[in-house]
Amino acid sequence: MNFELDKKRKDHLLGGGKEKQEQQRNKGKLTAFERIDAIFDSGTFVELDPFVVHECNEFGLENKKILGDGVLAGYGMIDGRLVYSFSHDFTVLGGSLGLAFSSKVCKIMDLAMKQGTPIIGINDSGGARIQEGVRSLAGYADIFHRNVHASGVIPQISVIVGPCAGGAVYSPAITDFIIMTKSAYMFVTGPEVVKEVTEEKVNFNDLGGASVHNEKSGVAHFVGEDEHDCFMILRKLLSFFPSNNLENPPRIEMEDDPNRQDQELNSVLPSSPHKPYDMHEVISKIVDNHDFLEVHKYWAKNITVGFARLGGNAVGIVANNPQVLAGVLDIDSCDKAARFVRFCDCFNIPLVALVDVPGFLPGTSQEWGGIIRHGAKLLYAFSEATVPKLTVITRKAYGGAYCVLNSKHIGADYNFAWPGGEIAVMGPESACNIIFKKEISESQDPDKKRNDLAEDYRIRFSNPYIAASHGYIDDVIEPRETRPRLISSLKSIYKKRVQRPLRKHGNIPV
Ligand code: HXC
Protein backbone atom coordinates (compact mmCIF):
# COMPACT_ATOMS: atom_id res chain seq x y z
CA MET A 1 0.00 0.00 0.00
CA ASN A 2 1.20 3.51 -0.72
CA PHE A 3 0.59 5.46 2.48
CA GLU A 4 0.60 8.92 0.94
CA LEU A 5 -1.93 7.89 -1.71
CA ASP A 6 -4.05 6.10 0.85
CA LYS A 7 -4.11 9.15 3.12
CA LYS A 8 -4.99 11.49 0.27
CA ARG A 9 -7.81 9.21 -0.82
CA LYS A 10 -9.19 9.11 2.72
CA ASP A 11 -8.93 12.90 3.05
CA HIS A 12 -10.76 13.31 -0.24
CA LEU A 13 -13.62 11.09 0.90
CA LEU A 14 -14.19 13.45 3.83
CA GLY A 15 -14.92 16.38 1.49
CA GLY A 16 -15.33 19.48 3.65
CA GLY A 17 -15.01 17.37 6.80
CA LYS A 18 -17.05 15.04 8.99
CA GLU A 19 -18.89 17.89 10.67
CA LYS A 20 -20.04 19.40 7.36
CA GLN A 21 -21.08 15.98 6.09
CA GLU A 22 -23.13 15.51 9.25
CA GLN A 23 -24.77 18.93 8.72
CA GLN A 24 -25.63 17.83 5.21
CA ARG A 25 -27.27 14.62 6.47
CA ASN A 26 -29.13 16.57 9.18
CA LYS A 27 -30.75 18.58 6.40
CA GLY A 28 -32.06 15.29 4.97
CA LYS A 29 -29.52 15.45 2.13
CA LEU A 30 -27.04 12.84 0.94
CA THR A 31 -23.38 13.66 0.48
CA ALA A 32 -21.92 13.95 -3.02
CA PHE A 33 -20.32 10.50 -2.62
CA GLU A 34 -23.54 8.88 -1.37
CA ARG A 35 -25.41 10.29 -4.36
CA ILE A 36 -22.96 8.73 -6.78
CA ASP A 37 -23.28 5.41 -4.96
CA ALA A 38 -27.06 5.62 -5.16
CA ILE A 39 -27.14 6.40 -8.88
CA PHE A 40 -24.53 4.09 -10.39
CA ASP A 41 -24.49 0.31 -10.57
CA SER A 42 -22.59 -0.88 -7.53
CA GLY A 43 -18.83 -0.38 -7.73
CA THR A 44 -18.79 0.90 -11.31
CA PHE A 45 -18.09 4.60 -10.76
CA VAL A 46 -14.58 5.73 -11.64
CA GLU A 47 -13.60 9.15 -10.37
CA LEU A 48 -11.31 11.53 -12.24
CA ASP A 49 -9.34 14.44 -10.78
CA PRO A 50 -9.76 13.65 -7.07
CA PHE A 51 -6.58 15.62 -6.34
CA VAL A 52 -7.49 18.85 -8.10
CA VAL A 53 -7.41 21.96 -5.89
CA HIS A 54 -8.15 25.57 -6.73
CA GLU A 55 -5.42 28.15 -7.31
CA CYS A 56 -7.09 31.06 -5.54
CA ASN A 57 -5.01 32.65 -2.81
CA GLU A 58 -7.29 35.49 -1.82
CA PHE A 59 -9.92 36.06 0.88
CA GLY A 60 -8.56 33.18 2.97
CA LEU A 61 -9.02 30.57 0.25
CA GLU A 62 -5.29 29.86 0.37
CA ASN A 63 -6.10 27.95 3.57
CA LYS A 64 -9.07 26.11 2.11
CA LYS A 65 -7.64 23.91 -0.61
CA ILE A 66 -9.69 20.76 -0.40
CA LEU A 67 -8.90 17.75 -2.58
CA GLY A 68 -11.40 17.52 -5.42
CA ASP A 69 -12.38 21.20 -5.04
CA GLY A 70 -16.03 20.52 -4.25
CA VAL A 71 -17.11 18.34 -7.13
CA LEU A 72 -16.89 14.63 -7.94
CA ALA A 73 -16.55 13.87 -11.63
CA GLY A 74 -16.25 10.62 -13.52
CA TYR A 75 -18.06 7.80 -15.27
CA GLY A 76 -19.78 4.56 -14.43
CA MET A 77 -22.61 2.28 -15.44
CA ILE A 78 -26.33 2.82 -14.94
CA ASP A 79 -28.34 -0.33 -15.68
CA GLY A 80 -25.28 -1.60 -17.52
CA ARG A 81 -24.88 1.47 -19.75
CA LEU A 82 -22.03 3.97 -19.65
CA VAL A 83 -22.87 7.43 -18.25
CA TYR A 84 -20.72 10.39 -17.24
CA SER A 85 -21.62 12.41 -14.18
CA PHE A 86 -20.57 15.15 -11.81
CA SER A 87 -21.86 15.66 -8.29
CA HIS A 88 -21.47 18.92 -6.39
CA ASP A 89 -20.13 18.62 -2.86
CA PHE A 90 -21.90 21.22 -0.73
CA THR A 91 -19.60 20.45 2.20
CA VAL A 92 -16.74 22.13 0.32
CA LEU A 93 -17.27 25.89 0.25
CA GLY A 94 -21.01 25.35 -0.22
CA GLY A 95 -20.44 23.50 -3.51
CA SER A 96 -19.56 26.89 -5.01
CA LEU A 97 -17.99 26.85 -8.44
CA GLY A 98 -14.50 28.18 -9.19
CA LEU A 99 -12.24 27.65 -12.18
CA ALA A 100 -10.69 24.33 -11.03
CA PHE A 101 -14.15 22.95 -10.22
CA SER A 102 -15.40 24.03 -13.63
CA SER A 103 -12.38 22.49 -15.40
CA LYS A 104 -13.25 19.12 -13.86
CA VAL A 105 -16.84 19.37 -15.10
CA CYS A 106 -15.70 20.48 -18.56
CA LYS A 107 -13.23 17.61 -18.77
CA ILE A 108 -15.91 14.98 -18.32
CA MET A 109 -18.33 16.84 -20.59
CA ASP A 110 -15.69 16.69 -23.31
CA LEU A 111 -15.12 12.98 -22.68
CA ALA A 112 -18.87 12.29 -22.74
CA MET A 113 -19.11 14.08 -26.09
CA LYS A 114 -16.16 12.18 -27.59
CA GLN A 115 -17.60 8.87 -26.44
CA GLY A 116 -21.24 9.74 -27.18
CA THR A 117 -22.55 9.12 -23.69
CA PRO A 118 -25.24 10.82 -21.59
CA ILE A 119 -24.14 13.21 -18.87
CA ILE A 120 -25.86 13.64 -15.51
CA GLY A 121 -25.27 16.70 -13.31
CA ILE A 122 -26.12 16.49 -9.60
CA ASN A 123 -26.50 20.11 -8.47
CA ASP A 124 -26.12 21.28 -4.87
CA SER A 125 -24.28 24.57 -4.92
CA GLY A 126 -24.25 28.13 -3.66
CA GLY A 127 -23.36 29.33 -7.17
CA ALA A 128 -20.31 31.21 -8.37
CA ARG A 129 -17.45 31.04 -5.83
CA ILE A 130 -17.46 34.65 -4.84
CA GLN A 131 -13.77 34.77 -3.80
CA GLU A 132 -12.66 33.69 -7.29
CA GLY A 133 -14.34 36.61 -9.02
CA VAL A 134 -14.41 36.58 -12.80
CA ARG A 135 -12.65 33.20 -12.93
CA SER A 136 -15.78 31.56 -11.55
CA LEU A 137 -17.90 33.40 -14.14
CA ALA A 138 -15.52 32.12 -16.81
CA GLY A 139 -15.90 28.64 -15.36
CA TYR A 140 -19.67 28.80 -15.64
CA ALA A 141 -19.56 30.11 -19.19
CA ASP A 142 -17.16 27.30 -20.16
CA ILE A 143 -19.80 24.83 -18.97
CA PHE A 144 -22.73 26.63 -20.64
CA HIS A 145 -20.86 26.61 -23.94
CA ARG A 146 -20.40 22.85 -23.70
CA ASN A 147 -24.04 22.32 -22.70
CA VAL A 148 -25.10 24.10 -25.87
CA HIS A 149 -22.82 22.09 -28.13
CA ALA A 150 -23.78 18.81 -26.48
CA SER A 151 -27.46 19.62 -26.95
CA GLY A 152 -29.00 17.15 -29.39
CA VAL A 153 -25.82 15.06 -29.45
CA ILE A 154 -25.91 13.38 -26.03
CA PRO A 155 -28.77 13.38 -23.52
CA GLN A 156 -28.09 15.80 -20.64
CA ILE A 157 -30.01 15.53 -17.38
CA SER A 158 -29.82 17.74 -14.29
CA VAL A 159 -30.85 16.65 -10.84
CA ILE A 160 -31.27 19.54 -8.39
CA VAL A 161 -30.86 18.37 -4.81
CA GLY A 162 -30.06 21.64 -3.03
CA PRO A 163 -29.58 25.29 -3.89
CA CYS A 164 -29.06 26.23 -7.53
CA ALA A 165 -28.70 29.98 -7.63
CA GLY A 166 -27.60 32.80 -9.91
CA GLY A 167 -25.75 31.79 -13.04
CA ALA A 168 -25.78 28.18 -11.83
CA VAL A 169 -29.31 27.82 -13.18
CA TYR A 170 -28.32 28.21 -16.79
CA SER A 171 -26.48 24.95 -17.19
CA PRO A 172 -29.47 22.91 -15.98
CA ALA A 173 -31.76 25.13 -18.06
CA ILE A 174 -29.96 24.12 -21.25
CA THR A 175 -29.95 20.42 -20.37
CA ASP A 176 -32.81 18.26 -21.60
CA PHE A 177 -34.49 17.44 -18.30
CA ILE A 178 -34.48 18.84 -14.77
CA ILE A 179 -35.46 16.66 -11.81
CA MET A 180 -35.85 18.43 -8.44
CA THR A 181 -36.20 17.18 -4.89
CA LYS A 182 -38.95 18.79 -2.86
CA SER A 183 -36.42 20.73 -0.78
CA ALA A 184 -34.33 22.03 -3.70
CA TYR A 185 -34.65 25.50 -5.15
CA MET A 186 -33.55 27.39 -8.23
CA PHE A 187 -33.58 31.11 -8.93
CA VAL A 188 -31.65 33.72 -10.86
CA THR A 189 -31.85 36.32 -8.08
CA GLY A 190 -32.44 35.36 -4.45
CA PRO A 191 -34.99 36.67 -1.92
CA GLU A 192 -32.65 39.44 -0.68
CA VAL A 193 -32.19 40.96 -4.11
CA VAL A 194 -35.86 40.53 -4.93
CA LYS A 195 -36.72 42.50 -1.78
CA GLU A 196 -34.29 45.27 -2.62
CA VAL A 197 -35.41 45.66 -6.21
CA THR A 198 -39.15 44.97 -6.12
CA GLU A 199 -39.92 45.20 -2.37
CA GLU A 200 -41.51 41.75 -2.60
CA LYS A 201 -40.95 39.53 0.42
CA VAL A 202 -40.56 35.92 -0.58
CA ASN A 203 -38.74 32.90 0.83
CA PHE A 204 -36.50 30.45 -1.05
CA ASN A 205 -39.27 27.91 -1.53
CA ASP A 206 -41.95 30.30 -2.72
CA LEU A 207 -39.47 31.95 -5.07
CA GLY A 208 -37.95 28.89 -6.67
CA GLY A 209 -38.95 25.67 -4.93
CA ALA A 210 -39.86 22.42 -6.64
CA SER A 211 -43.58 23.20 -6.78
CA VAL A 212 -42.89 26.61 -8.37
CA HIS A 213 -40.79 25.08 -11.13
CA ASN A 214 -42.95 21.99 -11.64
CA GLU A 215 -46.31 23.77 -11.63
CA LYS A 216 -45.83 27.44 -12.50
CA SER A 217 -42.67 28.12 -14.45
CA GLY A 218 -42.23 24.79 -16.25
CA VAL A 219 -38.46 25.02 -15.63
CA ALA A 220 -38.40 21.57 -13.99
CA HIS A 221 -39.79 18.40 -15.56
CA PHE A 222 -40.01 16.10 -12.54
CA VAL A 223 -40.20 16.31 -8.76
CA GLY A 224 -39.08 13.51 -6.47
CA GLU A 225 -40.25 12.92 -2.90
CA ASP A 226 -36.60 12.68 -1.87
CA GLU A 227 -33.22 12.14 -3.49
CA HIS A 228 -33.70 8.38 -3.93
CA ASP A 229 -37.02 9.01 -5.65
CA CYS A 230 -35.29 11.48 -8.00
CA PHE A 231 -32.63 8.89 -8.84
CA MET A 232 -35.33 6.32 -9.67
CA ILE A 233 -36.93 8.82 -12.04
CA LEU A 234 -33.49 9.48 -13.52
CA ARG A 235 -32.80 5.80 -14.20
CA LYS A 236 -36.22 5.26 -15.71
CA LEU A 237 -35.83 8.32 -17.92
CA LEU A 238 -32.44 7.12 -19.18
CA SER A 239 -33.91 3.73 -20.07
CA PHE A 240 -35.83 5.38 -22.93
CA PHE A 241 -32.84 7.18 -24.44
CA PRO A 242 -30.09 6.10 -26.79
CA SER A 243 -26.61 7.05 -25.63
CA ASN A 244 -26.30 9.63 -28.40
CA ASN A 245 -27.99 11.01 -31.51
CA LEU A 246 -26.43 8.41 -33.80
CA GLU A 247 -27.98 5.46 -31.99
CA ASN A 248 -31.52 4.22 -31.62
CA PRO A 249 -33.11 3.91 -28.18
CA PRO A 250 -32.65 0.50 -26.59
CA ARG A 251 -35.42 -1.99 -27.38
CA ILE A 252 -36.85 -3.52 -24.26
CA GLU A 253 -39.14 -6.51 -24.69
CA MET A 254 -42.04 -5.88 -22.34
CA GLU A 255 -43.88 -9.16 -22.91
CA ASP A 256 -47.10 -7.32 -23.68
CA ASP A 257 -48.86 -8.77 -26.74
CA PRO A 258 -48.51 -6.30 -29.64
CA ASN A 259 -51.90 -7.47 -30.90
CA ARG A 260 -53.61 -6.81 -27.58
CA GLN A 261 -56.88 -4.95 -28.16
CA ASP A 262 -58.48 -3.17 -25.26
CA GLN A 263 -62.24 -3.44 -25.49
CA GLU A 264 -62.67 -0.74 -22.83
CA LEU A 265 -61.23 1.84 -25.23
CA ASN A 266 -64.40 1.52 -27.28
CA SER A 267 -66.37 3.07 -24.45
CA VAL A 268 -63.84 5.61 -23.20
CA LEU A 269 -65.42 8.58 -25.03
CA PRO A 270 -68.36 10.17 -23.19
CA SER A 271 -71.71 10.38 -24.97
CA SER A 272 -71.50 14.16 -25.23
CA PRO A 273 -68.68 15.70 -27.33
CA HIS A 274 -68.46 18.46 -24.72
CA LYS A 275 -67.69 16.14 -21.81
CA PRO A 276 -64.12 15.47 -20.73
CA TYR A 277 -62.44 12.08 -20.32
CA ASP A 278 -59.05 11.04 -19.07
CA MET A 279 -56.50 10.79 -21.88
CA HIS A 280 -54.08 9.16 -19.42
CA GLU A 281 -56.45 6.21 -19.40
CA VAL A 282 -56.24 6.01 -23.19
CA ILE A 283 -52.44 6.16 -23.10
CA SER A 284 -52.26 3.52 -20.41
CA LYS A 285 -54.46 1.10 -22.36
CA ILE A 286 -52.41 1.50 -25.52
CA VAL A 287 -48.77 1.31 -24.39
CA ASP A 288 -46.68 -1.69 -23.34
CA ASN A 289 -47.50 -2.85 -19.81
CA HIS A 290 -49.58 0.33 -19.28
CA ASP A 291 -46.28 1.97 -18.39
CA PHE A 292 -46.05 5.72 -19.08
CA LEU A 293 -43.43 8.12 -17.71
CA GLU A 294 -45.09 11.51 -17.76
CA VAL A 295 -42.88 14.57 -18.29
CA HIS A 296 -43.97 17.98 -16.95
CA LYS A 297 -46.84 16.26 -15.15
CA TYR A 298 -47.87 19.32 -13.15
CA TRP A 299 -47.36 22.11 -15.68
CA ALA A 300 -49.57 23.02 -18.66
CA LYS A 301 -51.75 20.04 -17.91
CA ASN A 302 -53.97 20.64 -20.93
CA ILE A 303 -51.34 18.71 -22.86
CA THR A 304 -49.76 15.46 -21.69
CA VAL A 305 -46.29 14.43 -22.83
CA GLY A 306 -44.07 11.55 -21.85
CA PHE A 307 -42.29 8.33 -22.71
CA ALA A 308 -43.64 4.83 -23.15
CA ARG A 309 -42.98 1.77 -25.31
CA LEU A 310 -44.92 0.24 -28.15
CA GLY A 311 -43.90 -3.30 -29.07
CA GLY A 312 -40.70 -2.76 -27.10
CA ASN A 313 -39.68 0.45 -28.89
CA ALA A 314 -39.47 3.73 -26.99
CA VAL A 315 -41.92 6.39 -28.18
CA GLY A 316 -42.66 9.97 -27.16
CA ILE A 317 -46.35 10.62 -26.64
CA VAL A 318 -47.99 14.02 -27.08
CA ALA A 319 -51.66 13.98 -26.13
CA ASN A 320 -54.28 16.65 -25.56
CA ASN A 321 -55.89 16.29 -22.16
CA PRO A 322 -59.62 17.09 -22.41
CA GLN A 323 -59.83 17.19 -18.60
CA VAL A 324 -57.98 20.51 -18.41
CA LEU A 325 -59.25 23.50 -20.41
CA ALA A 326 -60.89 20.96 -22.73
CA GLY A 327 -57.41 20.11 -24.04
CA VAL A 328 -57.09 23.47 -25.81
CA LEU A 329 -53.67 24.67 -26.99
CA ASP A 330 -52.33 27.69 -25.13
CA ILE A 331 -48.93 29.33 -24.72
CA ASP A 332 -47.54 26.98 -22.09
CA SER A 333 -48.87 23.78 -23.61
CA CYS A 334 -47.33 24.70 -26.98
CA ASP A 335 -43.97 25.41 -25.35
CA LYS A 336 -44.13 22.18 -23.37
CA ALA A 337 -45.02 20.00 -26.32
CA ALA A 338 -42.62 21.71 -28.74
CA ARG A 339 -39.60 21.15 -26.52
CA PHE A 340 -40.60 17.54 -25.95
CA VAL A 341 -41.05 16.89 -29.68
CA ARG A 342 -37.63 18.37 -30.39
CA PHE A 343 -35.99 16.20 -27.74
CA CYS A 344 -37.55 13.06 -29.23
CA ASP A 345 -36.46 14.10 -32.70
CA CYS A 346 -32.87 14.72 -31.56
CA PHE A 347 -32.64 11.22 -30.12
CA ASN A 348 -34.48 9.10 -32.67
CA ILE A 349 -37.53 8.51 -30.50
CA PRO A 350 -40.65 8.11 -32.68
CA LEU A 351 -43.59 10.39 -31.91
CA VAL A 352 -47.20 9.44 -31.29
CA ALA A 353 -49.80 12.23 -31.10
CA LEU A 354 -53.19 11.52 -29.55
CA VAL A 355 -55.37 14.40 -30.65
CA ASP A 356 -58.54 15.75 -29.08
CA VAL A 357 -58.23 19.49 -29.45
CA PRO A 358 -60.93 22.17 -29.75
CA GLY A 359 -58.41 24.71 -31.10
CA PHE A 360 -56.23 27.48 -29.68
CA LEU A 361 -57.31 29.28 -26.50
CA PRO A 362 -58.91 32.63 -27.41
CA GLY A 363 -58.43 35.84 -25.41
CA THR A 364 -56.29 38.89 -24.93
CA SER A 365 -53.93 37.28 -22.45
CA GLN A 366 -53.05 34.63 -25.01
CA GLU A 367 -52.82 37.00 -27.98
CA TRP A 368 -50.80 39.57 -26.03
CA GLY A 369 -48.62 36.83 -24.63
CA GLY A 370 -47.76 35.76 -28.15
CA ILE A 371 -49.80 32.60 -28.76
CA ILE A 372 -48.99 33.11 -32.44
CA ARG A 373 -45.28 32.78 -31.71
CA HIS A 374 -45.67 29.95 -29.19
CA GLY A 375 -48.11 27.97 -31.32
CA ALA A 376 -45.66 28.35 -34.19
CA LYS A 377 -43.02 26.57 -32.09
CA LEU A 378 -45.15 23.46 -31.90
CA LEU A 379 -45.96 23.62 -35.58
CA TYR A 380 -42.28 24.06 -36.35
CA ALA A 381 -41.22 21.24 -34.03
CA PHE A 382 -43.57 18.62 -35.46
CA SER A 383 -42.87 19.78 -38.97
CA GLU A 384 -39.08 19.62 -38.69
CA ALA A 385 -39.06 16.26 -36.86
CA THR A 386 -37.79 13.44 -39.06
CA VAL A 387 -38.47 10.53 -36.70
CA PRO A 388 -41.42 8.23 -37.45
CA LYS A 389 -44.56 10.24 -36.66
CA LEU A 390 -47.97 8.71 -35.94
CA THR A 391 -51.27 10.41 -35.07
CA VAL A 392 -54.58 9.19 -33.74
CA ILE A 393 -57.48 11.66 -33.64
CA THR A 394 -59.64 10.37 -30.82
CA ARG A 395 -62.32 13.06 -31.04
CA LYS A 396 -61.88 16.71 -32.00
CA ALA A 397 -59.27 18.17 -34.33
CA TYR A 398 -60.33 21.69 -35.10
CA GLY A 399 -58.79 24.54 -37.02
CA GLY A 400 -55.12 25.42 -36.82
CA ALA A 401 -54.71 22.90 -34.03
CA TYR A 402 -55.55 20.12 -36.53
CA CYS A 403 -52.67 21.28 -38.74
CA VAL A 404 -50.22 21.79 -35.89
CA LEU A 405 -50.76 18.51 -34.07
CA ASN A 406 -48.84 16.16 -36.33
CA SER A 407 -51.17 16.28 -39.31
CA LYS A 408 -50.36 14.48 -42.54
CA HIS A 409 -49.65 17.84 -44.16
CA ILE A 410 -46.68 18.56 -41.89
CA GLY A 411 -45.10 15.20 -42.43
CA ALA A 412 -46.83 12.62 -40.22
CA ASP A 413 -46.37 9.11 -41.58
CA TYR A 414 -49.58 7.51 -40.36
CA ASN A 415 -52.76 9.32 -39.36
CA PHE A 416 -55.71 7.48 -37.91
CA ALA A 417 -59.03 8.63 -36.50
CA TRP A 418 -61.55 6.97 -34.26
CA PRO A 419 -65.06 6.82 -35.79
CA GLY A 420 -66.28 9.75 -33.65
CA GLY A 421 -63.47 12.00 -34.90
CA GLU A 422 -64.56 15.56 -35.69
CA ILE A 423 -62.22 17.20 -38.17
CA ALA A 424 -63.27 20.67 -39.26
CA VAL A 425 -62.20 24.29 -39.46
CA MET A 426 -64.10 25.07 -36.27
CA GLY A 427 -66.84 23.70 -34.02
CA PRO A 428 -70.35 23.48 -35.58
CA GLU A 429 -71.91 26.26 -33.47
CA SER A 430 -69.12 28.76 -34.14
CA ALA A 431 -69.01 27.83 -37.82
CA CYS A 432 -72.77 28.36 -38.23
CA ASN A 433 -72.64 31.68 -36.36
CA ILE A 434 -70.29 32.90 -39.08
CA ILE A 435 -71.52 31.32 -42.30
CA PHE A 436 -75.25 31.53 -41.45
CA LYS A 437 -75.14 34.80 -39.50
CA LYS A 438 -77.91 36.34 -41.60
CA GLU A 439 -80.17 33.26 -41.63
CA ILE A 440 -79.89 32.89 -37.86
CA SER A 441 -80.55 36.56 -37.05
CA GLU A 442 -83.51 36.73 -39.44
CA SER A 443 -85.04 33.51 -38.15
CA GLN A 444 -88.09 33.67 -35.88
CA ASP A 445 -86.37 31.27 -33.50
CA PRO A 446 -82.62 31.98 -33.82
CA ASP A 447 -81.59 29.37 -31.22
CA LYS A 448 -83.49 26.58 -32.92
CA LYS A 449 -82.19 27.68 -36.31
CA ARG A 450 -78.63 27.71 -35.03
CA ASN A 451 -79.03 24.26 -33.47
CA ASP A 452 -80.55 22.80 -36.64
CA LEU A 453 -77.83 24.27 -38.81
CA ALA A 454 -75.14 23.12 -36.39
CA GLU A 455 -76.53 19.60 -36.41
CA ASP A 456 -76.51 19.58 -40.21
CA TYR A 457 -72.93 20.91 -40.21
CA ARG A 458 -71.89 18.25 -37.69
CA ILE A 459 -73.34 15.47 -39.84
CA ARG A 460 -71.74 16.84 -42.99
CA PHE A 461 -68.33 17.98 -41.81
CA SER A 462 -67.59 16.89 -38.23
CA ASN A 463 -66.61 13.33 -38.98
CA PRO A 464 -63.39 11.66 -40.03
CA TYR A 465 -64.61 10.39 -43.41
CA ILE A 466 -64.12 13.58 -45.41
CA ALA A 467 -60.48 13.78 -44.28
CA ALA A 468 -60.18 10.03 -44.96
CA SER A 469 -61.64 10.48 -48.45
CA HIS A 470 -58.75 12.84 -49.24
CA GLY A 471 -56.17 10.46 -47.75
CA TYR A 472 -55.38 12.92 -44.95
CA ILE A 473 -56.45 10.15 -42.57
CA ASP A 474 -55.00 6.79 -43.57
CA ASP A 475 -57.73 4.81 -41.89
CA VAL A 476 -60.61 5.10 -39.47
CA ILE A 477 -60.10 2.55 -36.72
CA GLU A 478 -62.03 1.29 -33.75
CA PRO A 479 -60.54 2.59 -30.52
CA ARG A 480 -59.71 -0.94 -29.35
CA GLU A 481 -57.55 -1.45 -32.45
CA THR A 482 -55.31 1.48 -31.59
CA ARG A 483 -52.43 -0.43 -29.98
CA PRO A 484 -51.98 -3.06 -32.71
CA ARG A 485 -52.34 -0.45 -35.46
CA LEU A 486 -49.76 1.84 -33.90
CA ILE A 487 -47.30 -1.00 -33.35
CA SER A 488 -47.65 -2.33 -36.87
CA SER A 489 -47.38 1.19 -38.33
CA LEU A 490 -44.30 1.88 -36.27
CA LYS A 491 -42.67 -1.34 -37.48
CA SER A 492 -43.39 -0.42 -41.08
CA ILE A 493 -41.70 2.99 -40.77
CA TYR A 494 -39.11 2.46 -38.05
CA LYS A 495 -36.14 2.72 -40.38
CA LYS A 496 -37.39 5.99 -41.86
CA ARG A 497 -34.62 8.31 -43.02
CA VAL A 498 -35.24 11.88 -44.18
CA GLN A 499 -32.58 14.14 -45.66
CA ARG A 500 -33.08 17.89 -45.39
CA PRO A 501 -31.11 20.44 -47.43
CA LEU A 502 -27.88 21.44 -45.73
CA ARG A 503 -28.25 24.63 -43.66
CA LYS A 504 -26.66 26.11 -40.58
CA HIS A 505 -29.85 25.75 -38.57
CA GLY A 506 -33.46 26.73 -38.90
CA ASN A 507 -34.90 29.74 -37.15
CA ILE A 508 -37.55 28.36 -34.79
CA PRO A 509 -39.63 31.24 -33.36
CA VAL A 510 -38.20 30.96 -29.82
C1 HXC B 1 -18.37 31.07 -1.84
C2 HXC B 1 -20.04 30.12 -0.60
C3 HXC B 1 -20.98 30.47 -1.57
C4 HXC B 1 -20.53 31.15 -2.73
C5 HXC B 1 -22.01 29.45 0.01
N1 HXC B 1 -20.72 29.50 0.37
N2 HXC B 1 -22.20 30.05 -1.16
N3 HXC B 1 -18.75 30.41 -0.73
N4 HXC B 1 -19.21 31.42 -2.81
N5 HXC B 1 -21.35 31.51 -3.71
C6 HXC B 1 -20.10 28.96 1.56
C7 HXC B 1 -20.50 29.70 2.82
O1 HXC B 1 -19.68 30.81 2.99
C8 HXC B 1 -20.29 28.64 3.87
O2 HXC B 1 -18.90 28.56 4.11
C9 HXC B 1 -20.68 27.36 3.16
O3 HXC B 1 -20.61 27.64 1.77
C10 HXC B 1 -22.09 26.92 3.47
O4 HXC B 1 -22.94 28.05 3.25
P1 HXC B 1 -24.06 28.46 4.31
O5 HXC B 1 -24.52 29.81 3.93
O6 HXC B 1 -23.56 28.27 5.71
O7 HXC B 1 -25.16 27.36 4.02
P2 HXC B 1 -26.74 27.50 4.06
O8 HXC B 1 -27.17 28.21 5.29
O9 HXC B 1 -27.28 26.14 3.82
O10 HXC B 1 -27.12 28.44 2.83
C11 HXC B 1 -26.87 28.03 1.52
C12 HXC B 1 -27.03 29.20 0.54
C13 HXC B 1 -26.18 30.39 0.98
C14 HXC B 1 -28.52 29.61 0.52
C15 HXC B 1 -26.67 28.69 -0.83
O11 HXC B 1 -24.86 29.91 1.24
C16 HXC B 1 -26.13 31.48 -0.05
O12 HXC B 1 -27.06 32.26 -0.14
N6 HXC B 1 -25.04 31.51 -0.82
C17 HXC B 1 -24.89 32.49 -1.88
C18 HXC B 1 -25.88 32.21 -3.00
C19 HXC B 1 -25.71 33.17 -4.15
O13 HXC B 1 -26.05 34.34 -4.05
N7 HXC B 1 -25.13 32.68 -5.23
C20 HXC B 1 -25.01 33.43 -6.42
C21 HXC B 1 -23.57 33.80 -6.56
S1 HXC B 1 -23.45 34.83 -7.98
P3 HXC B 1 -18.30 28.16 5.53
O14 HXC B 1 -16.82 28.34 5.39
O15 HXC B 1 -18.92 29.06 6.53
O16 HXC B 1 -18.70 26.74 5.73
C22 HXC B 1 -23.62 33.76 -9.26
C23 HXC B 1 -23.59 34.40 -10.60
C24 HXC B 1 -22.89 33.50 -11.55
O17 HXC B 1 -23.77 32.60 -9.15
C25 HXC B 1 -23.14 33.95 -12.94
C26 HXC B 1 -22.55 32.99 -13.92
C27 HXC B 1 -22.93 33.37 -15.29
Side-chain angles (χ1 to χ4, degrees), residues 20 27 64 90 93-96 125-131 137 140 144 163 165-168 185 204:
K20 295 253 182 233
K27 287 183 198 159
K64 291 187 181 170
F90 191 82
L93 300 165
S96 58
S125 161
R129 188 173 295 160
I130 295 160
Q131 299 91 325
L137 301 184
Y140 267 128
F144 304 157
Y185 48 88
F204 285 124

Side-chain angles (χ1 to χ4, degrees), residues 279 283 301-305 317-321 352-356:
M279 191 63 101
I283 297 169
K301 294 197 284 188
N302 39 330
I303 206 152
T304 302
V305 301
I317 293 186
V318 178
N320 304 110
N321 177 13
V352 176
L354 299 174
V355 177
D356 186 349

Side-chain angles (χ1 to χ4, degrees), residues 80-111:
R81 296 167 71 205
L82 186 69
V83 171
Y84 277 80
S85 182
F86 60 86
S87 175
H88 297 168
D89 187 348
F90 191 82
T91 69
V92 179
L93 300 165
S96 58
L97 180 142
L99 198 55
F101 180 127
S102 159
S103 305
K104 287 181 63 174
V105 174
C106 290
K107 185 189 272 185
I108 60 150
M109 291 179 85
D110 292 344
L111 288 166

Side-chain angles (χ1 to χ4, degrees), residues 40-41 44-46 74-78 81-85 117:
F40 283 89
D41 299 348
T44 62
F45 188 76
V46 178
Y75 61 86
M77 309 299 267
I78 296 182
R81 296 167 71 205
L82 186 69
V83 171
Y84 277 80
S85 182
T117 300

Side-chain angles (χ1 to χ4, degrees), residues 163-200:
C164 183
V169 299
Y170 283 111
S171 170
I174 298 167
T175 63
D176 299 302
F177 295 99
I178 295 180
I179 307 170
M180 288 180 83
T181 56
K182 283 195 163 165
S183 57
Y185 48 88
M186 303 176 75
F187 44 73
V188 175
T189 45
E192 286 299 321
V193 179
V194 171
K195 199 168 122 205
E196 259 174 52
V197 177
T198 70
E199 294 183 3
E200 277 176 287

Side-chain angles (χ1 to χ4, degrees), residues 253-260 284-291 309 311-312 483 487:
E253 196 43 71
M254 303 290 277
E255 290 172 5
D256 188 354
D257 182 2
N259 293 316
R260 174 172 61 77
S284 161
K285 289 182 189 312
I286 291 171
V287 300
D288 290 358
N289 288 2
H290 312 284
D291 189 22
R309 290 188 178 81
R483 171 178 164 81
I487 292 177

